[in-house]
Amino acid sequence: MKRLLIMSMLVMALTACMSAASGGGEYSQLPKHEFRGAWMHIIGQGQYAKMNPDQMREYLIGQLDLLQRANCNAVIWQIRPQADAAYPSDLEPWSRWLTGEPGKAPVPSWDPLQFMIDQTHKRGMELHAWINPYRVTSSEDDKPAPGHIYYEHPEWFLKYADGKLYFDPGLPECRDFIDTVVRDILVRYDIDALHMDDYFYPYPVTGVDFPDSTSYNMYGLGWDRNDWRRHNVDLLIEQLHNTIQEVKPWVRFGISPFGIWRNKSSDPDGSETNGLQCYDALYADCPKWTAEGWVDYMVPQLYWELEHKAASDLVLMHWWNDHANGRHMYYGQALNNVMSHQDIADEGGDPSNPTQLDHKLRLQRAMEHVHGVTWWPGYTITSNFKGALDSLASKQTCRPALIPAYTWLDSEKPHRVHDLKVKKVAGKKCLVWRAHDTDDLMQQAVRYVVYRFPKGKKGSLDNAGAILAITGETSFVLPDGGNGQWQYAVTALDRCWNESDPAWR
Protein backbone atom coordinates (compact mmCIF):
# COMPACT_ATOMS: atom_id res chain seq x y z
CA MET A 1 0.00 0.00 0.00
CA LYS A 2 2.82 2.37 0.91
CA ARG A 3 4.65 1.70 -2.38
CA LEU A 4 1.44 2.27 -4.36
CA LEU A 5 1.00 5.62 -2.61
CA ILE A 6 4.57 6.65 -3.42
CA MET A 7 4.17 5.65 -7.08
CA SER A 8 0.92 7.60 -7.24
CA MET A 9 2.63 10.69 -5.83
CA LEU A 10 5.48 10.37 -8.35
CA VAL A 11 3.02 10.24 -11.23
CA MET A 12 1.17 13.29 -9.85
CA ALA A 13 4.42 15.22 -9.57
CA LEU A 14 5.49 14.31 -13.11
CA THR A 15 2.05 15.30 -14.44
CA ALA A 16 2.22 18.65 -12.63
CA CYS A 17 5.64 19.39 -14.08
CA MET A 18 4.59 18.50 -17.64
CA SER A 19 1.50 20.66 -17.25
CA ALA A 20 3.60 23.60 -16.09
CA ALA A 21 5.99 23.08 -18.98
CA SER A 22 3.28 23.09 -21.61
CA GLY A 23 1.30 25.94 -20.12
CA GLY A 24 4.04 28.45 -19.36
CA GLY A 25 3.20 29.76 -15.93
CA GLU A 26 5.28 30.67 -12.91
CA TYR A 27 7.34 27.47 -12.76
CA SER A 28 7.91 26.87 -16.47
CA GLN A 29 11.41 28.37 -16.45
CA LEU A 30 13.10 26.44 -13.66
CA PRO A 31 16.89 26.13 -13.94
CA LYS A 32 18.33 23.12 -15.70
CA HIS A 33 21.42 23.22 -13.47
CA GLU A 34 20.86 23.46 -9.72
CA PHE A 35 22.23 21.61 -6.71
CA ARG A 36 19.36 20.37 -4.53
CA GLY A 37 20.72 18.62 -1.49
CA ALA A 38 19.22 17.21 1.71
CA TRP A 39 21.05 16.54 4.95
CA MET A 40 20.22 13.21 6.59
CA HIS A 41 21.79 13.11 10.05
CA ILE A 42 21.86 10.10 12.33
CA ILE A 43 23.00 11.78 15.57
CA GLY A 44 19.99 12.44 17.76
CA GLN A 45 17.78 10.29 15.52
CA GLY A 46 16.41 7.50 17.72
CA GLN A 47 14.52 5.64 15.03
CA TYR A 48 17.53 3.84 13.55
CA ALA A 49 18.55 2.01 16.74
CA LYS A 50 15.04 0.55 16.97
CA MET A 51 15.22 -1.02 13.50
CA ASN A 52 16.70 -4.28 12.30
CA PRO A 53 18.66 -4.11 9.01
CA ASP A 54 15.64 -5.04 6.87
CA GLN A 55 13.51 -2.36 8.51
CA MET A 56 16.25 0.22 8.14
CA ARG A 57 16.72 -0.54 4.46
CA GLU A 58 12.98 -0.21 3.86
CA TYR A 59 12.90 3.04 5.82
CA LEU A 60 15.84 4.52 3.89
CA ILE A 61 14.32 3.51 0.55
CA GLY A 62 11.13 5.31 1.55
CA GLN A 63 13.10 8.41 2.54
CA LEU A 64 14.98 8.45 -0.77
CA ASP A 65 11.77 7.92 -2.74
CA LEU A 66 10.27 11.02 -1.12
CA LEU A 67 13.42 13.11 -1.59
CA GLN A 68 13.41 12.07 -5.24
CA ARG A 69 9.82 13.24 -5.49
CA ALA A 70 11.08 16.69 -4.45
CA ASN A 71 13.78 16.31 -7.16
CA CYS A 72 16.65 16.38 -4.69
CA ASN A 73 19.80 15.37 -6.55
CA ALA A 74 22.20 14.93 -3.63
CA VAL A 75 21.90 13.29 -0.22
CA ILE A 76 24.34 14.34 2.50
CA TRP A 77 24.40 11.22 4.68
CA GLN A 78 26.04 11.39 8.10
CA ILE A 79 28.55 8.56 8.48
CA ARG A 80 30.85 9.80 11.28
CA PRO A 81 29.00 11.97 13.82
CA GLN A 82 31.45 11.53 16.71
CA ALA A 83 34.60 9.66 15.67
CA ASP A 84 32.50 6.57 15.04
CA ALA A 85 31.27 4.88 11.87
CA ALA A 86 27.95 4.21 10.14
CA TYR A 87 29.79 1.65 8.03
CA PRO A 88 32.20 -1.26 8.74
CA SER A 89 35.54 0.23 9.81
CA ASP A 90 38.78 -1.11 11.25
CA LEU A 91 39.64 2.41 12.43
CA GLU A 92 36.59 3.48 14.41
CA PRO A 93 33.72 1.68 16.19
CA TRP A 94 30.17 1.33 14.97
CA SER A 95 28.01 4.32 15.81
CA ARG A 96 25.49 3.89 18.60
CA TRP A 97 23.11 6.09 16.62
CA LEU A 98 22.60 3.17 14.22
CA THR A 99 22.75 0.18 16.54
CA GLY A 100 21.81 1.58 19.96
CA GLU A 101 25.13 0.72 21.61
CA PRO A 102 28.61 2.18 20.96
CA GLY A 103 30.75 -0.28 19.05
CA LYS A 104 27.95 -2.78 18.49
CA ALA A 105 27.78 -4.08 14.91
CA PRO A 106 24.39 -4.55 13.25
CA VAL A 107 22.97 -8.07 13.24
CA PRO A 108 22.87 -9.49 10.67
CA SER A 109 25.88 -7.66 9.28
CA TRP A 110 25.38 -5.10 6.53
CA ASP A 111 26.91 -1.87 5.22
CA PRO A 112 24.59 1.16 5.43
CA LEU A 113 27.02 3.44 3.55
CA GLN A 114 27.30 1.08 0.59
CA PHE A 115 23.53 0.68 0.59
CA MET A 116 23.02 4.45 0.47
CA ILE A 117 25.57 4.82 -2.32
CA ASP A 118 23.82 2.13 -4.38
CA GLN A 119 20.35 3.53 -3.79
CA THR A 120 21.22 7.17 -4.51
CA HIS A 121 23.22 6.33 -7.62
CA LYS A 122 20.40 4.14 -8.92
CA ARG A 123 18.18 7.22 -8.72
CA GLY A 124 20.71 9.48 -10.45
CA MET A 125 21.46 11.24 -7.14
CA GLU A 126 24.80 11.90 -5.45
CA LEU A 127 25.93 10.58 -2.08
CA HIS A 128 27.97 13.01 0.00
CA ALA A 129 29.65 11.31 2.96
CA TRP A 130 29.28 13.62 5.95
CA ILE A 131 31.85 13.48 8.74
CA ASN A 132 32.43 15.56 11.85
CA PRO A 133 36.19 15.96 12.27
CA TYR A 134 36.89 16.62 15.96
CA ARG A 135 33.86 15.68 18.08
CA VAL A 136 34.16 12.36 19.99
CA THR A 137 31.29 12.37 22.51
CA SER A 138 27.94 14.12 22.55
CA SER A 139 27.39 14.68 26.29
CA GLU A 140 28.99 14.54 29.71
CA ASP A 141 27.85 10.94 30.23
CA ASP A 142 28.79 9.73 26.75
CA LYS A 143 31.90 7.52 26.57
CA PRO A 144 33.91 6.31 23.56
CA ALA A 145 33.22 2.71 22.63
CA PRO A 146 35.65 -0.04 23.66
CA GLY A 147 38.51 -0.19 21.17
CA HIS A 148 38.27 3.49 20.29
CA ILE A 149 41.54 5.26 19.46
CA TYR A 150 40.90 7.36 22.59
CA TYR A 151 42.04 4.51 24.82
CA GLU A 152 45.24 4.02 22.83
CA HIS A 153 46.12 7.74 22.69
CA PRO A 154 44.31 9.61 25.47
CA GLU A 155 46.84 12.43 25.06
CA TRP A 156 45.25 13.32 21.72
CA PHE A 157 41.96 14.33 23.32
CA LEU A 158 40.62 17.25 25.35
CA LYS A 159 37.48 17.61 27.44
CA TYR A 160 35.83 21.01 27.16
CA ALA A 161 33.45 22.80 29.53
CA ASP A 162 30.48 21.48 27.54
CA GLY A 163 31.35 18.03 28.88
CA LYS A 164 32.32 16.62 25.48
CA LEU A 165 35.56 15.04 24.29
CA TYR A 166 37.33 16.41 21.22
CA PHE A 167 40.42 15.61 19.21
CA ASP A 168 42.98 18.33 19.90
CA PRO A 169 43.12 20.26 16.58
CA GLY A 170 46.62 21.50 17.47
CA LEU A 171 48.23 18.04 17.29
CA PRO A 172 49.56 16.81 13.93
CA GLU A 173 48.80 13.25 15.08
CA CYS A 174 45.10 14.08 15.26
CA ARG A 175 45.07 15.58 11.78
CA ASP A 176 46.88 12.52 10.45
CA PHE A 177 44.38 10.14 12.06
CA ILE A 178 41.39 12.03 10.65
CA ASP A 179 43.12 12.00 7.28
CA THR A 180 43.61 8.24 7.56
CA VAL A 181 39.88 7.79 8.20
CA VAL A 182 39.03 9.89 5.14
CA ARG A 183 41.54 8.02 2.98
CA ASP A 184 39.97 4.72 4.03
CA ILE A 185 36.51 5.98 3.02
CA LEU A 186 37.81 7.21 -0.33
CA VAL A 187 39.58 3.95 -1.16
CA ARG A 188 36.69 1.69 -0.20
CA TYR A 189 33.62 3.63 -1.33
CA ASP A 190 32.39 5.32 -4.49
CA ILE A 191 31.27 8.51 -2.76
CA ASP A 192 30.65 11.66 -4.76
CA ALA A 193 31.81 14.12 -2.12
CA LEU A 194 33.24 14.41 1.36
CA HIS A 195 31.24 16.83 3.51
CA MET A 196 31.85 18.55 6.85
CA ASP A 197 29.54 20.89 8.70
CA ASP A 198 30.12 23.68 11.23
CA TYR A 199 31.66 21.71 14.11
CA PHE A 200 35.35 22.65 14.12
CA TYR A 201 36.60 24.00 17.44
CA PRO A 202 33.60 23.61 19.77
CA TYR A 203 30.94 26.26 20.13
CA PRO A 204 32.24 28.37 23.03
CA VAL A 205 31.02 28.13 26.59
CA THR A 206 30.84 31.69 27.92
CA GLY A 207 33.92 32.61 29.89
CA VAL A 208 35.72 29.27 29.40
CA ASP A 209 38.59 28.94 26.93
CA PHE A 210 39.33 25.72 25.09
CA PRO A 211 41.97 23.81 27.14
CA ASP A 212 44.69 23.45 24.50
CA SER A 213 47.64 25.01 26.39
CA THR A 214 49.78 21.87 26.06
CA SER A 215 49.61 21.72 22.27
CA TYR A 216 49.88 25.51 22.01
CA ASN A 217 53.10 25.43 24.04
CA MET A 218 54.41 22.68 21.75
CA TYR A 219 53.42 24.10 18.37
CA GLY A 220 51.99 27.60 18.76
CA LEU A 221 54.66 29.72 20.38
CA GLY A 222 55.19 32.87 18.36
CA TRP A 223 51.59 32.77 17.11
CA ASP A 224 48.64 34.75 18.35
CA ARG A 225 46.60 31.93 19.92
CA ASN A 226 43.47 32.58 17.86
CA ASP A 227 45.46 32.78 14.61
CA TRP A 228 47.18 29.51 15.57
CA ARG A 229 43.84 27.80 16.09
CA ARG A 230 42.62 28.98 12.68
CA HIS A 231 45.89 27.75 11.20
CA ASN A 232 45.28 24.31 12.71
CA VAL A 233 41.89 24.05 11.01
CA ASP A 234 43.41 25.35 7.76
CA LEU A 235 46.04 22.60 7.91
CA LEU A 236 43.36 19.92 8.26
CA ILE A 237 41.30 21.30 5.37
CA GLU A 238 44.35 21.52 3.12
CA GLN A 239 45.53 18.03 4.07
CA LEU A 240 42.13 16.47 3.33
CA HIS A 241 41.98 18.32 0.01
CA ASN A 242 45.38 16.94 -0.95
CA THR A 243 44.37 13.40 0.01
CA ILE A 244 41.18 13.60 -2.06
CA GLN A 245 43.13 14.87 -5.05
CA GLU A 246 45.63 12.05 -4.67
CA VAL A 247 43.14 9.20 -4.23
CA LYS A 248 40.05 10.21 -6.24
CA PRO A 249 40.39 13.66 -7.82
CA TRP A 250 36.76 13.73 -8.97
CA VAL A 251 35.44 13.57 -5.40
CA ARG A 252 34.38 17.00 -4.19
CA PHE A 253 35.10 18.49 -0.80
CA GLY A 254 32.28 20.52 0.71
CA ILE A 255 31.95 22.51 3.92
CA SER A 256 28.80 23.82 5.62
CA PRO A 257 29.87 26.59 8.01
CA PHE A 258 27.90 28.60 10.50
CA GLY A 259 26.12 31.34 8.56
CA ILE A 260 28.07 34.36 9.81
CA TRP A 261 31.76 34.62 8.92
CA ARG A 262 32.32 37.95 10.70
CA ASN A 263 30.14 40.91 11.58
CA LYS A 264 30.99 44.23 9.97
CA SER A 265 31.60 45.63 13.46
CA SER A 266 34.58 43.25 13.69
CA ASP A 267 35.78 43.38 10.09
CA PRO A 268 35.05 45.85 7.24
CA ASP A 269 34.54 42.85 4.95
CA GLY A 270 32.00 41.27 7.29
CA SER A 271 28.21 41.24 6.99
CA GLU A 272 25.71 43.69 8.46
CA THR A 273 24.83 41.22 11.20
CA ASN A 274 25.24 40.90 14.95
CA GLY A 275 25.82 37.28 15.91
CA LEU A 276 28.35 34.58 16.65
CA GLN A 277 31.24 34.66 14.17
CA CYS A 278 32.64 31.38 12.91
CA TYR A 279 36.02 33.06 12.27
CA ASP A 280 36.38 34.10 15.92
CA ALA A 281 34.33 31.49 17.83
CA LEU A 282 34.96 28.30 15.83
CA TYR A 283 38.28 29.36 14.26
CA ALA A 284 36.94 28.60 10.79
CA ASP A 285 38.11 31.02 8.09
CA CYS A 286 35.73 29.57 5.50
CA PRO A 287 36.18 32.03 2.60
CA LYS A 288 39.92 31.34 2.73
CA TRP A 289 39.31 27.67 1.94
CA THR A 290 37.53 28.40 -1.33
CA ALA A 291 39.97 31.19 -2.22
CA GLU A 292 42.85 28.72 -1.79
CA GLY A 293 41.03 26.09 -3.89
CA TRP A 294 40.94 23.57 -1.03
CA VAL A 295 37.13 23.34 -0.95
CA ASP A 296 34.88 22.75 -3.95
CA TYR A 297 31.59 23.96 -2.52
CA MET A 298 30.36 25.95 0.45
CA VAL A 299 26.95 25.57 2.13
CA PRO A 300 26.59 28.41 4.65
CA GLN A 301 23.87 27.64 7.16
CA LEU A 302 21.39 30.44 6.53
CA TYR A 303 18.87 29.19 9.03
CA TRP A 304 17.23 32.53 9.83
CA GLU A 305 14.22 34.26 8.35
CA LEU A 306 14.71 37.00 5.76
CA GLU A 307 13.87 39.78 8.22
CA HIS A 308 15.80 38.47 11.26
CA LYS A 309 17.09 41.48 13.21
CA ALA A 310 20.52 40.11 14.19
CA ALA A 311 21.16 37.79 11.23
CA SER A 312 18.93 38.62 8.29
CA ASP A 313 18.94 35.91 5.64
CA LEU A 314 18.40 38.66 3.09
CA VAL A 315 21.67 40.29 4.13
CA LEU A 316 23.59 37.02 4.42
CA MET A 317 22.44 35.66 1.06
CA HIS A 318 23.95 38.69 -0.65
CA TRP A 319 27.13 38.53 1.46
CA TRP A 320 27.89 34.89 0.68
CA ASN A 321 27.10 35.43 -3.01
CA ASP A 322 29.86 38.05 -3.03
CA HIS A 323 32.33 35.66 -1.34
CA ALA A 324 32.02 32.50 -3.44
CA ASN A 325 35.60 32.81 -4.73
CA GLY A 326 34.93 30.89 -7.93
CA ARG A 327 33.65 27.76 -6.22
CA HIS A 328 30.10 26.49 -5.95
CA MET A 329 27.83 28.12 -3.38
CA TYR A 330 24.75 26.29 -2.11
CA TYR A 331 22.60 27.91 0.57
CA GLY A 332 21.70 25.75 3.56
CA GLN A 333 18.11 26.45 4.59
CA ALA A 334 16.24 25.21 7.68
CA LEU A 335 13.02 24.14 6.03
CA ASN A 336 10.93 24.33 9.21
CA ASN A 337 11.96 28.00 9.54
CA VAL A 338 11.31 28.69 5.86
CA MET A 339 7.82 27.20 6.07
CA SER A 340 6.96 28.89 9.39
CA HIS A 341 7.61 32.53 8.51
CA GLN A 342 5.41 34.77 6.39
CA ASP A 343 7.03 36.38 3.39
CA ILE A 344 8.20 40.00 3.39
CA ALA A 345 7.87 42.69 0.73
CA ASP A 346 11.60 43.43 0.40
CA GLU A 347 13.23 42.53 -2.94
CA GLY A 348 10.08 41.33 -4.65
CA GLY A 349 8.49 39.35 -1.84
CA ASP A 350 4.78 38.79 -1.26
CA PRO A 351 3.62 39.48 2.33
CA SER A 352 0.42 37.50 1.68
CA ASN A 353 2.47 34.31 1.19
CA PRO A 354 2.45 32.30 4.45
CA THR A 355 5.96 30.92 3.80
CA GLN A 356 9.30 32.25 2.53
CA LEU A 357 9.98 29.23 0.30
CA ASP A 358 9.25 30.92 -3.03
CA HIS A 359 11.03 34.13 -2.10
CA LYS A 360 14.25 32.50 -0.91
CA LEU A 361 14.55 30.26 -3.96
CA ARG A 362 13.81 33.15 -6.34
CA LEU A 363 16.42 35.30 -4.62
CA GLN A 364 19.20 32.74 -4.79
CA ARG A 365 18.37 31.78 -8.38
CA ALA A 366 18.88 35.43 -9.36
CA MET A 367 22.31 35.56 -7.70
CA GLU A 368 25.27 35.17 -10.02
CA HIS A 369 27.45 32.98 -7.79
CA VAL A 370 24.82 30.79 -6.10
CA HIS A 371 24.34 27.32 -7.54
CA GLY A 372 21.74 25.63 -5.37
CA VAL A 373 20.22 24.82 -2.01
CA THR A 374 20.54 22.21 0.73
CA TRP A 375 17.60 21.48 3.01
CA TRP A 376 18.01 20.96 6.75
CA PRO A 377 17.04 18.37 7.58
CA GLY A 378 15.92 16.04 4.82
CA TYR A 379 13.44 14.53 7.29
CA THR A 380 11.49 17.81 7.16
CA ILE A 381 10.88 17.22 3.47
CA THR A 382 9.95 13.56 3.86
CA SER A 383 7.50 14.37 6.69
CA ASN A 384 5.90 17.00 4.41
CA PHE A 385 6.20 19.64 7.13
CA LYS A 386 3.53 22.28 6.47
CA GLY A 387 3.23 20.95 2.91
CA ALA A 388 6.90 21.48 2.03
CA LEU A 389 7.20 18.28 -0.01
CA ASP A 390 3.94 18.95 -1.86
CA SER A 391 5.06 22.48 -2.70
CA LEU A 392 8.56 21.50 -3.87
CA ALA A 393 7.27 18.56 -5.93
CA SER A 394 4.54 20.53 -7.71
CA LYS A 395 6.09 24.00 -7.91
CA GLN A 396 9.54 25.20 -6.88
CA THR A 397 11.52 22.07 -7.86
CA CYS A 398 8.96 20.17 -9.91
CA ARG A 399 11.50 19.11 -12.53
CA PRO A 400 14.79 17.27 -12.23
CA ALA A 401 17.94 19.39 -12.39
CA LEU A 402 21.57 18.62 -13.16
CA ILE A 403 24.15 19.59 -10.59
CA PRO A 404 26.31 22.34 -12.10
CA ALA A 405 29.57 20.94 -13.47
CA TYR A 406 32.74 21.18 -11.39
CA THR A 407 34.79 22.46 -14.29
CA TRP A 408 37.95 23.22 -12.27
CA LEU A 409 38.19 19.47 -11.60
CA ASP A 410 37.26 18.38 -15.13
CA SER A 411 35.74 20.26 -18.06
CA GLU A 412 35.83 17.54 -20.75
CA LYS A 413 32.44 16.13 -21.68
CA PRO A 414 32.03 12.34 -21.92
CA HIS A 415 31.27 10.43 -25.13
CA ARG A 416 27.65 10.17 -26.15
CA VAL A 417 25.72 6.96 -25.54
CA HIS A 418 25.08 4.56 -28.41
CA ASP A 419 22.60 1.87 -29.47
CA LEU A 420 19.70 3.98 -28.22
CA LYS A 421 16.46 2.15 -28.99
CA VAL A 422 12.98 1.40 -27.73
CA LYS A 423 12.34 -2.18 -26.67
CA LYS A 424 10.09 -4.14 -24.38
CA VAL A 425 11.52 -5.04 -21.00
CA ALA A 426 9.36 -7.05 -18.58
CA GLY A 427 6.30 -6.17 -20.64
CA LYS A 428 6.96 -2.41 -20.64
CA LYS A 429 8.28 -0.19 -23.41
CA CYS A 430 11.63 1.22 -22.41
CA LEU A 431 14.39 3.34 -23.79
CA VAL A 432 17.66 1.37 -23.58
CA TRP A 433 21.20 2.45 -24.45
CA ARG A 434 24.85 1.63 -23.96
CA ALA A 435 27.60 3.79 -22.52
CA HIS A 436 30.91 4.39 -24.25
CA ASP A 437 33.67 2.20 -22.83
CA THR A 438 36.67 4.06 -21.40
CA ASP A 439 39.39 3.45 -18.85
CA ASP A 440 39.51 7.17 -18.01
CA LEU A 441 37.62 7.36 -14.72
CA MET A 442 37.06 11.09 -15.18
CA GLN A 443 35.22 10.47 -18.46
CA GLN A 444 33.18 7.45 -17.47
CA ALA A 445 29.43 7.89 -17.77
CA VAL A 446 27.87 7.47 -14.33
CA ARG A 447 24.46 9.08 -14.88
CA TYR A 448 22.16 9.76 -17.81
CA VAL A 449 19.60 12.43 -18.68
CA VAL A 450 16.44 11.47 -20.56
CA TYR A 451 14.71 14.25 -22.54
CA ARG A 452 11.36 14.18 -24.36
CA PHE A 453 10.16 16.41 -27.21
CA PRO A 454 7.12 16.40 -29.53
CA LYS A 455 7.81 14.16 -32.50
CA GLY A 456 9.40 15.97 -35.44
CA LYS A 457 10.73 18.83 -33.29
CA LYS A 458 14.24 18.54 -31.93
CA GLY A 459 13.90 20.91 -29.03
CA SER A 460 16.67 22.53 -27.04
CA LEU A 461 18.45 20.56 -24.35
CA ASP A 462 18.63 23.83 -22.40
CA ASN A 463 14.91 23.44 -21.69
CA ALA A 464 14.63 21.94 -18.20
CA GLY A 465 10.97 21.20 -18.91
CA ALA A 466 12.00 18.55 -21.42
CA ILE A 467 13.86 16.46 -18.81
CA LEU A 468 11.98 13.30 -17.90
CA ALA A 469 14.60 11.82 -15.59
CA ILE A 470 18.17 11.69 -14.40
CA THR A 471 19.07 8.08 -13.75
CA GLY A 472 21.98 5.84 -12.94
CA GLU A 473 20.48 3.03 -15.05
CA THR A 474 20.94 2.41 -18.78
CA SER A 475 17.22 2.03 -19.38
CA PHE A 476 14.11 4.06 -18.70
CA VAL A 477 10.45 3.04 -18.71
CA LEU A 478 8.52 5.32 -21.07
CA PRO A 479 5.72 6.98 -19.05
CA ASP A 480 3.35 7.15 -22.02
CA GLY A 481 3.91 3.55 -23.08
CA GLY A 482 5.91 4.69 -26.11
CA ASN A 483 2.81 5.70 -28.08
CA GLY A 484 4.77 7.34 -30.89
CA GLN A 485 3.89 10.96 -30.17
CA TRP A 486 7.35 11.79 -28.84
CA GLN A 487 11.00 11.65 -29.66
CA TYR A 488 13.69 11.23 -27.06
CA ALA A 489 17.25 12.28 -26.41
CA VAL A 490 19.66 10.71 -23.94
CA THR A 491 22.90 12.27 -22.73
CA ALA A 492 25.64 10.94 -20.48
CA LEU A 493 27.01 12.67 -17.38
CA ASP A 494 30.51 12.08 -16.04
CA ARG A 495 31.52 12.23 -12.38
CA CYS A 496 31.88 16.02 -12.49
CA TRP A 497 28.51 16.53 -14.23
CA ASN A 498 29.84 17.39 -17.66
CA GLU A 499 27.14 16.47 -20.17
CA SER A 500 27.74 14.64 -23.45
CA ASP A 501 26.23 15.37 -26.83
CA PRO A 502 22.78 13.76 -27.20
CA ALA A 503 21.78 10.53 -28.86
CA TRP A 504 18.32 10.78 -30.46
CA ARG A 505 15.53 8.25 -30.95
Side-chain angles (χ1 to χ4, degrees):
M1 187 69 177
K2 179 180 177 184
R3 290 301 174 87
L4 288 174
L5 177 60
I6 291 173
M7 288 303 296
S8 174
M9 291 189 296
L10 286 169
V11 170
M12 290 170 61
L14 181 61
T15 302
C17 290
M18 290 178 179
S19 174
S22 60
E26 185 177 1
Y27 299 103
S28 64
Q29 298 298 321
L30 294 181
K32 176 181 173 179
H33 298 92
E34 185 173 60
F35 185 92
R36 299 171 184 166
W39 279 292
M40 291 186 68
H41 59 297
I42 63 172
I43 192 169
Q45 293 293 301
Q47 70 270 32
Y48 292 107
K50 299 174 184 176
M51 300 175 183
N52 63 41
D54 283 341
Q55 292 169 330
M56 196 181 300
R57 283 189 285 266
E58 182 178 1
Y59 174 78
L60 290 172
I61 286 172
Q63 294 292 297
L64 294 177
D65 284 345
L66 292 168
L67 291 176
Q68 187 176 27
R69 183 187 163 215
N71 285 308
C72 289
N73 50 29
V75 173
I76 302 173
W77 169 243
Q78 192 175 36
I79 66 167
R80 186 185 186 261
Q82 48 185 84
D84 52 5
Y87 60 96
S89 171
D90 293 331
L91 298 170
E92 295 182 308
W94 277 96
S95 175
R96 70 180 175 93
W97 298 107
L98 281 187
T99 66
E101 181 181 327
K104 178 184 176 183
V107 179
S109 177
W110 74 299
D111 188 338
L113 175 54
Q114 187 59 57
F115 179 80
M116 288 293 282
I117 291 170
D118 293 341
Q119 290 294 320
T120 51
H121 287 183
K122 177 181 178 181
R123 291 166 172 77
M125 304 161 81
E126 289 198 329
L127 192 287
H128 294 215
W130 169 13
I131 71 167
N132 299 97
Y134 301 127
R135 182 177 59 198
V136 178
T137 58
S138 58
S139 69
E140 177 78 42
D141 299 327
D142 195 10
K143 305 295 181 187
H148 194 280
I149 191 69
Y150 168 79
Y151 299 106
E152 183 178 347
H153 291 286
E155 72 278 9
W156 291 1
F157 300 86
L158 298 171
K159 191 170 188 178
Y160 187 40
D162 59 4
K164 302 174 187 176
L165 275 175
Y166 298 89
F167 283 94
D168 184 347
L171 294 178
E173 298 91 336
C174 293
R175 292 192 292 273
D176 289 343
F177 180 79
I178 296 166
D179 182 74
T180 298
V181 171
V182 168
R183 182 181 292 269
D184 176 62
I185 295 166
L186 291 167
V187 168
R188 294 169 53 206
Y189 293 100
D190 185 21
I191 64 171
D192 298 288
L194 181 79
H195 181 93
M196 297 199 303
D197 59 4
D198 53 316
Y199 290 100
F200 293 101
Y201 277 80
Y203 278 81
V205 175
T206 302
V208 185
D209 198 18
F210 190 65
D212 56 359
S213 293
T214 299
S215 55
Y216 177 66
N217 289 333
M218 292 173 63
Y219 298 105
L221 294 181
W223 286 80
D224 170 84
R225 194 154 181 160
N226 292 342
D227 288 340
W228 172 73
R229 287 171 175 167
R230 277 184 287 274
H231 179 63
N232 293 333
V233 181
D234 290 348
L235 288 173
L236 176 66
I237 300 300
E238 183 180 17
Q239 184 171 353
L240 296 181
H241 162 78
N242 291 339
T243 295
I244 293 170
Q245 288 297 297
E246 174 194 341
V247 180
K248 287 182 178 174
W250 58 84
V251 171
R252 276 84 70 200
F253 189 12
I255 305 284
S256 176
F258 183 76
I260 299 173
W261 174 68
R262 299 197 88 188
N263 302 309
K264 190 173 282 293
S265 59
S266 300
D267 190 309
D269 197 33
S271 52
E272 291 282 4
T273 50
N274 181 26
L276 181 140
Q277 306 169 116
C278 65
Y279 179 92
D280 300 271
L282 309 178
Y283 307 103
D285 190 2
C286 317
K288 177 180 179 179
W289 305 337
T290 46
E292 293 288 346
W294 299 335
V295 167
D296 299 298
Y297 70 80
M298 197 69 72
V299 193
Q301 296 172 9
L302 306 186
Y303 290 172
W304 303 279
E305 55 272 24
L306 290 166
E307 71 279 16
H308 195 284
K309 291 182 179 179
S312 160
D313 244 20
L314 196 60
V315 168
L316 287 165
M317 289 174 82
H318 285 288
W319 189 91
W320 283 101
N321 175 65
D322 293 338
H323 293 79
N325 295 324
R327 293 297 187 253
H328 283 186
M329 182 68 68
Y330 316 137
Y331 286 160
Q333 293 287 349
L335 197 51
N336 59 346
N337 180 286
V338 173
M339 300 301 293
S340 300
H341 283 87
Q342 191 165 338
D343 200 2
I344 62 174
D346 296 30
E347 296 199 29
D350 177 9
S352 69
N353 192 328
T355 85
Q356 296 187 353
L357 184 60
D358 259 340
H359 195 175
K360 286 193 172 187
L361 285 176
R362 284 202 315 272
L363 279 172
Q364 71 174 49
R365 284 169 175 168
M367 293 181 178
E368 182 180 2
H369 305 300
V370 181
H371 306 86
V373 65
T374 302
W375 302 114
W376 168 257
Y379 306 108
T380 310
I381 296 178
T382 59
S383 66
N384 199 24
F385 179 78
K386 294 192 174 182
L389 173 58
D390 292 337
S391 185
L392 291 170
S394 63
K395 299 176 183 177
Q396 294 89 0
T397 58
C398 75
R399 295 186 198 88
L402 284 66
I403 293 176
Y406 297 84
T407 52
W408 58 91
L409 297 176
D410 173 37
S411 59
E412 183 179 347
K413 62 185 179 183
H415 288 278
R416 75 176 76 204
V417 305
H418 58 102
D419 291 344
L420 177 62
K421 60 187 69 173
V422 176
K423 63 183 295 187
K424 261 194 176 179
V425 178
K428 296 181 179 179
K429 280 191 176 180
C430 297
L431 276 179
V432 296
W433 59 87
R434 293 174 58 196
H436 177 82
D437 292 330
T438 177
D439 294 327
D440 184 347
L441 294 178
M442 280 290 199
Q443 301 315 124
Q444 282 182 347
V446 294
R447 295 173 185 85
Y448 306 92
V449 190
V450 180
Y451 299 84
R452 184 174 75 170
F453 301 95
K455 193 169 185 179
K457 296 181 180 179
K458 285 192 176 182
S460 170
L461 267 60
D462 293 331
N463 177 12
I467 299 176
L468 283 182
I470 301 170
T471 177
E473 309 286 348
T474 55
S475 64
F476 177 74
V477 177
L478 295 175
D480 60 357
N483 60 19
Q485 297 180 6
W486 308 95
Q487 63 178 348
Y488 301 91
V490 174
T491 59
L493 299 169
D494 65 20
R495 297 175 188 274
C496 291
W497 290 81
N498 298 295
E499 187 176 15
S500 75
D501 293 330
W504 290 88
R505 177 66 172 82

